[in-house]
Amino acid sequence: MNFSSRTDLTIHSGLNDIFKTKDSQTISFAGGLPDNSLFPSEELAKSYNSVITGGDSTVFQYTGKQMPELREKISSKMNDYGVNATADDVLLTQGAQQALSLAAQLLIDKGDGLVVEGPTYIGALAAFDAVEPTFYEVPIEQDGMNIKVLEHILKHHEVKMIYTIPDFQNPTGTVMSVEKRKAMVKLANRYDVMIVEDAAYRDLRFTGTQLPTIKQFDTEDRVIYVGSFSKILAPAMRLGWLVAAPEVRGDLEALKSSADVETSSLTMNAVNDYLEHHDINQHIEEIKTVYCHKKNLMYQALTENMPKDVKFNNPEGGFFIWLELPEKFDMDQFLDDYLLPVANVTLVPSKNLFTSKSIHNGARLNFTQPTNEQIRDGISRLGSALTEYFSTVLV
Amino acid sequence: MNFSSRTDLTIHSGLNDIFKTKDSQTISFAGGLPDNSLFPSEELAKSYNSVITGGDSTVFQYTGKQMPELREKISSKMNDYGVNATADDVLLTQGAQQALSLAAQLLIDKGDGLVVEGPTYIGALAAFDAVEPTFYEVPIEQDGMNIKVLEHILKHHEVKMIYTIPDFQNPTGTVMSVEKRKAMVKLANRYDVMIVEDAAYRDLRFTGTQLPTIKQFDTEDRVIYVGSFSKILAPAMRLGWLVAAPEVRGDLEALKSSADVETSSLTMNAVNDYLEHHDINQHIEEIKTVYCHKKNLMYQALTENMPKDVKFNNPEGGFFIWLELPEKFDMDQFLDDYLLPVANVTLVPSKNLFTSKSIHNGARLNFTQPTNEQIRDGISRLGSALTEYFSTVLV
């Protein structure tokens, strides 16, 4: 039996590999997971209880529509970002992941050009693989995509879609500058390309000034904005959204219903109830305080424990710190041969986060899920492991 | 901006059109909806409460795996059907719809042959449209697909997948005979084709003897079995599953995670808790009693109210009765011009349930959602509307 050609593209399929551990003692910096203890569990429980014990069994039924009240609340959040969107412009999705999948289905025929950042979110690559694009990769700089490389690609290739994570990029933690956001929209207009702006981490700015969304500079309805409740509320609701112009949204809606019929009525009602009775912005402020502290802790630990020639950044928000070893270093091999089996620490090696010119010497470190103690202990173990690996294995 | 070619295929995208009504007084036989009042709402509420107020916030977290206990329970249900499956063979999906979408993504490259029944489930056509197959249609007979036509198609065309709903087919309510089930597997073996067996209605047999699943005759791991909790428990959990051989399942798992990362931990835990504390088979017996009564009521009302030359069947289970008017009759036009605006009744016309040789004179009638009174009243109105339409509009 021959399967479809999309199943040959297995390089990015290991989305769940990041959950790999050795045993219950493993310290994982690999996940993209929020801190359990910060979930507003009691408030969410109340909201669930309220909608399921209200005596209205329709909450368990098919609904046939996307809850207007919830979309209204999301659109008003979008308005706060300077994006001119009504409730109708919001399409609820099964996490941000489904939004990425739908956007790629909308825009890409097999072989069409799709620009991604290098490195980028591995789950996006998995979603895009399913439509078999031709990937073009633009290196990430400290202030986002290298726009000159982007322009060169758009000029010489047939590109349909640009995928970018402008705020606290996954995996590098970088933020795209305002100038580059404007330049990207201009290029998209000139070369007739759509932009998918993945803003899953946008709300989590610890320091510095929030920048305008790319969508805010969108003059020709070319930007599909993608948001998520997974990082600011909790992942198990599997609730994300996209904002797109009416012409685009109709097709996305049809693709959504072909993928899974609809978003759960129970989920929509519970999240809507939560947002009605609680100030999510206040909640976000609270989790930001904790995450900023953890980030500082990890940065400090890295400063104290990394051998020389190891580089790392100090991101202004998000979930991740990016680590870079000397050029010849193979992070995969170090992880498999030493870091996990000997030091019992795990991280995401850089290799699979690229579509072409993979670098093997980088790693993504998550600071939101581990406890303070795990951060201190794990980074110290990482430092010792690197020192030993350099002095013994690599000799 | 040009979108992908899959978005040109808009004929089957109207999955949500079946929820169309005129006003709150509309009697709808159009939906594929269970009866709200039969949901075990209190029990489900208890299960949700129990898992979200248990003090364990991990239920709101990413899980990275599909709950083994729940898959174990589903596999034991499969064993009751004579299907030899372990927990590992079960992949949880976002409703049966996602299982159909994943199977098509696994098996179909653009242009590959895909056999469907004519008529078939419109949501399946929507899911399949996204991978742009070449559709081949096999007419449904009283005992399932016309196997001779199927053989002819497989002999003369490159087909990768057969999609069938053998039990209480949507929309015709028919059941495929044992002989045809065996013959289909033989043909699949001979012509190297995969079968997707959609068993969403299988548990709802009111009368007669349950037949073996097609999967039971599967000797070469060619059958992907698809099940769902939507019709037997409640749709808002959006929980379905598929059972497939390991070789196939690995790719399906990767496609699942690329589509939406994972199934909600909260949902898995709640449904698992429900199944642990309640006998779902007992619950199914209870809803079958009500649905059988409603089916009898609708059949009786049709017998009393339909003009001559109107045919309808008396299905042994499922959600639907199939109606057939004389050959030249246009059900769409009747619905839009008369049935909905004048009689305020709605149903699903046959036209969009085919991929090629559409017939325009059929309709799907759902008997599970409307109340007894709505069934009596609605079918009576349908009868009067047809009689008047025949004698005035069609004169």
Side-chain angles (χ1 to χ4, degrees):
Chain A
M1 187 68 215
N2 291 317
F3 297 145
S4 70
S5 61
R6 68 176 61 78
T7 57
D8 300 337
L9 304 161
T10 51
I11 48 161
H12 307 120
S13 66
L15 193 57
N16 284 329
D17 280 0
I18 59 173
F19 295 103
K20 201 164 58 177
T21 54
K22 185 181 154 204
D23 54 44
S24 63
Q25 301 303 306
T26 302
I27 296 181
S28 176
F29 301 129
L33 282 69
D35 183 335
N36 281 4
S37 71
L38 297 177
F39 296 150
S41 300
E42 276 183 41
E43 292 84 348
L44 285 171
K46 261 189 204 158
S47 288
Y48 270 93
N49 288 352
S50 151
V51 301
I52 59 187
T53 57
D56 184 4
S57 63
T58 57
V59 77
F60 289 114
Q61 182 62 287
Y62 289 113
T63 162
K65 61 168 184 266
Q66 295 212 317
M67 196 176 186
E69 300 88 330
L70 177 56
R71 293 157 83 202
E72 180 67 42
K73 291 182 180 69
I74 293 171
S75 74
S76 106
K77 188 173 169 56
M78 298 303 303
N79 296 157
D80 294 346
Y81 289 161
V83 175
N84 193 9
T86 69
D88 282 346
D89 298 322
V90 176
L91 181 70
L92 302 172
T93 56
Q94 192 69 5
Q97 183 75 18
Q98 187 178 48
L100 303 183
S101 168
L102 298 177
Q105 286 182 59
L106 174 74
L107 300 172
I108 302 291
D109 279 315
K110 186 173 178 170
D112 281 349
L114 196 167
V115 168
V116 296
E117 293 162 340
T120 189
Y121 165 48
I122 191 170
L125 296 180
F128 303 157
D129 273 348
V131 295
E132 301 173 89
T134 302
F135 283 113
Y136 298 99
E137 191 163 86
V138 178
I140 278 283
E141 301 172 311
Q142 282 195 0
D143 59 349
M145 266 195 198
N146 180 322
I147 291 290
K148 290 225 169 78
V149 174
L150 174 64
E151 181 164 13
H152 184 84
I153 290 169
L154 296 181
K155 198 169 173 178
H156 292 92
H157 302 280
E158 191 73 37
V159 169
K160 290 294 187 71
M161 165 176 164
I162 300 168
Y163 171 66
T164 179
I165 312 166
D167 298 299
F168 320 115
Q169 202 247 7
N170 180 356
T172 61
T174 54
V175 174
M176 188 186 291
S177 69
V178 179
E179 292 65 36
K180 286 191 171 180
R181 290 173 198 236
K182 289 181 183 167
M184 183 181 278
V185 171
K186 267 192 193 161
L187 287 174
N189 289 346
R190 188 182 317 154
Y191 293 100
D192 190 19
V193 183
M194 296 283 287
I195 297 171
V196 175
E197 176 179 21
D198 181 349
Y201 302 95
R202 177 171 174 81
D203 282 309
L204 301 174
R205 176 176 278 281
F206 314 144
T207 52
T209 314
Q210 192 70 305
L211 302 186
T213 63
I214 298 175
K215 179 85 184 146
Q216 215 175 318
F217 299 117
D218 185 16
T219 51
E220 300 183 0
D221 290 340
R222 294 191 172 280
V223 180
I224 299 175
Y225 178 99
V226 176
S228 173
F229 285 108
S230 292
K231 313 305 191 224
I232 55 174
L233 199 53
M237 267 79 75
R238 309 299 312 114
L239 195 65
W241 69 88
L242 60 81
V243 174
E247 183 203 349
V248 181
R249 219 180 42 251
D251 283 331
L252 288 168
E253 262 182 70
L255 288 166
K256 156 76 182 167
S257 88
S258 81
D260 62 8
V261 180
E262 63 179 24
T263 291
S264 161
S265 175
L266 176 56
T267 305
M268 292 190 292
N269 275 281
V271 174
N272 184 64
D273 185 275
Y274 172 86
L275 294 174
E276 204 140 303
H277 294 96
H278 306 280
D279 181 356
I280 192 169
N281 290 327
Q282 177 56 36
H283 173 68
I284 291 170
E285 288 305 318
E286 286 165 26
I287 65 179
K288 272 163 54 175
T289 306
V290 177
Y291 287 162
C292 180
H293 180 71
K294 286 188 172 190
K295 188 268 296 173
N296 289 338
L297 211 61
M298 183 177 274
Y299 183 77
Q300 183 61 31
L302 286 166
T303 308
E304 290 164 8
N305 291 283
M306 286 304 104
K308 71 172 171 51
D309 300 332
V310 177
K311 290 184 211 154
F312 46 89
N313 59 353
N314 188 5
E316 295 188 302
F319 267 37
F320 308 110
I321 285 180
W322 184 246
L323 198 71
E324 238 175 271
L325 276 282
E327 212 171 302
K328 293 279 166 65
F329 190 84
D330 188 325
M331 190 66 75
D332 263 280
Q333 207 179 334
F334 169 63
L335 174 63
D336 288 348
D337 294 355
Y338 205 89
L339 187 61
L340 187 56
V342 180
N344 208 0
V345 170
T346 179
L347 43 67
V348 176
S350 58
K351 194 185 74 179
N352 292 334
L353 309 178
F354 293 83
T355 61
S356 52
K357 291 159 275 178
S358 289
I359 65 160
H360 291 246
N361 57 321
R364 188 187 81 171
L365 296 174
N366 168 260
F367 53 77
T368 55
Q369 191 200 15
T371 62
N372 294 347
E373 199 188 330
Q374 285 173 326
I375 290 174
R376 273 187 295 257
D377 188 21
I379 295 298
S380 155
R381 287 200 230 166
L382 172 63
S384 309
L386 279 170
T387 306
E388 280 190 53
Y389 193 70
F390 281 141
S391 66
T392 58
V393 185
L394 285 190
V395 168
Chain B
M1 187 69 213
N2 291 319
F3 297 144
S4 71
S5 61
R6 69 175 60 79
T7 58
D8 300 337
L9 304 162
T10 53
I11 49 161
H12 306 122
S13 66
L15 194 59
N16 283 329
D17 281 0
I18 60 172
F19 295 103
K20 200 165 61 178
T21 55
K22 185 182 154 202
D23 53 45
S24 64
Q25 300 304 305
T26 303
I27 296 180
S28 175
F29 300 129
L33 283 70
D35 183 335
N36 281 2
S37 71
L38 297 177
F39 296 150
S41 300
E42 275 182 40
E43 291 85 347
L44 284 171
K46 259 189 205 158
S47 288
Y48 271 92
N49 288 352
S50 151
V51 300
I52 59 186
T53 58
D56 183 3
S57 63
T58 58
V59 78
F60 290 114
Q61 182 63 285
Y62 290 111
T63 161
K65 64 168 183 265
Q66 297 213 315
M67 196 177 186
E69 300 88 329
L70 178 55
R71 293 157 82 203
E72 180 67 42
K73 291 183 180 70
I74 292 171
S75 74
S76 105
K77 188 172 168 59
M78 297 304 302
N79 295 338
D80 294 345
Y81 290 161
V83 175
N84 193 7
T86 68
D88 282 346
D89 298 322
V90 175
L91 181 70
L92 302 172
T93 56
Q94 192 69 4
Q97 183 74 20
Q98 187 177 48
L100 303 184
S101 167
L102 299 177
Q105 286 182 58
L106 174 74
L107 300 172
I108 302 291
D109 279 318
K110 185 173 179 170
D112 280 349
L114 196 167
V115 168
V116 296
E117 293 162 340
T120 189
Y121 165 48
I122 191 168
L125 297 180
F128 303 157
D129 273 348
V131 295
E132 303 173 88
T134 302
F135 283 113
Y136 298 99
E137 191 163 87
V138 178
I140 277 283
E141 302 172 310
Q142 284 195 359
D143 59 350
M145 266 195 198
N146 181 320
I147 291 289
K148 290 225 171 77
V149 175
L150 174 63
E151 181 164 14
H152 184 85
I153 290 168
L154 297 181
K155 199 169 171 180
H156 293 94
H157 303 280
E158 191 73 38
V159 169
K160 290 294 188 71
M161 165 175 163
I162 300 168
Y163 172 65
T164 180
I165 312 166
D167 297 299
F168 321 114
Q169 202 247 5
N170 180 358
T172 61
T174 54
V175 174
M176 189 187 290
S177 68
V178 179
E179 292 66 34
K180 287 190 171 180
R181 290 172 197 236
K182 289 180 182 168
M184 183 180 278
V185 171
K186 267 193 192 159
L187 287 173
N189 289 345
R190 188 182 317 152
Y191 292 101
D192 191 18
V193 183
M194 295 284 288
I195 297 171
V196 175
E197 176 179 21
D198 181 349
Y201 302 96
R202 178 172 174 81
D203 282 309
L204 301 175
R205 176 176 279 281
F206 314 145
T207 52
T209 314
Q210 192 71 302
L211 303 185
T213 63
I214 298 175
K215 180 86 184 145
Q216 216 174 317
F217 300 116
D218 185 18
T219 51
E220 301 184 359
D221 290 340
R222 294 190 173 278
V223 180
I224 299 174
Y225 178 100
V226 175
S228 173
F229 285 108
S230 292
K231 314 304 192 224
I232 55 174
L233 199 53
M237 265 80 75
R238 310 299 313 113
L239 195 65
W241 69 88
L242 60 80
V243 174
E247 183 204 349
V248 180
R249 219 181 41 252
D251 283 331
L252 288 169
E253 262 182 69
L255 288 166
K256 155 76 182 168
S257 89
S258 80
D260 62 8
V261 180
E262 64 179 24
T263 290
S264 161
S265 175
L266 177 55
T267 305
M268 293 190 291
N269 275 281
V271 173
N272 184 64
D273 185 273
Y274 172 86
L275 295 174
E276 205 139 302
H277 294 97
H278 306 280
D279 181 356
I280 192 169
N281 290 327
Q282 177 56 37
H283 173 66
I284 292 170
E285 287 305 317
E286 287 166 24
I287 65 178
K288 270 163 55 175
T289 305
V290 178
Y291 287 163
C292 181
H293 180 72
K294 287 188 173 189
K295 187 269 294 172
N296 289 338
L297 211 60
M298 183 177 274
Y299 183 77
Q300 183 61 32
L302 287 165
T303 307
E304 290 164 8
N305 290 283
M306 286 303 104
K308 69 173 171 54
D309 301 333
V310 178
K311 289 184 212 154
F312 46 89
N313 60 353
N314 189 3
E316 295 188 302
F319 266 37
F320 308 111
I321 286 179
W322 183 247
L323 198 70
E324 238 176 270
L325 276 282
E327 212 172 299
K328 293 280 166 63
F329 190 84
D330 188 325
M331 191 65 76
D332 263 281
Q333 206 179 336
F334 170 64
L335 174 64
D336 287 348
D337 292 355
Y338 205 90
L339 187 62
L340 187 55
V342 179
N344 209 1
V345 170
T346 180
L347 43 67
V348 176
S350 57
K351 196 184 72 182
N352 292 333
L353 309 178
F354 293 83
T355 59
S356 53
K357 291 159 276 178
S358 290
I359 66 159
H360 292 247
N361 57 321
R364 187 188 81 172
L365 296 174
N366 168 260
F367 53 77
T368 55
Q369 191 200 14
T371 62
N372 294 347
E373 199 189 328
Q374 286 172 327
I375 290 174
R376 273 188 295 258
D377 189 21
I379 296 297
S380 156
R381 286 199 229 166
L382 172 63
S384 309
L386 279 171
T387 306
E388 280 190 52
Y389 194 69
F390 281 141
S391 66
T392 57
V393 184
L394 285 190
V395 167

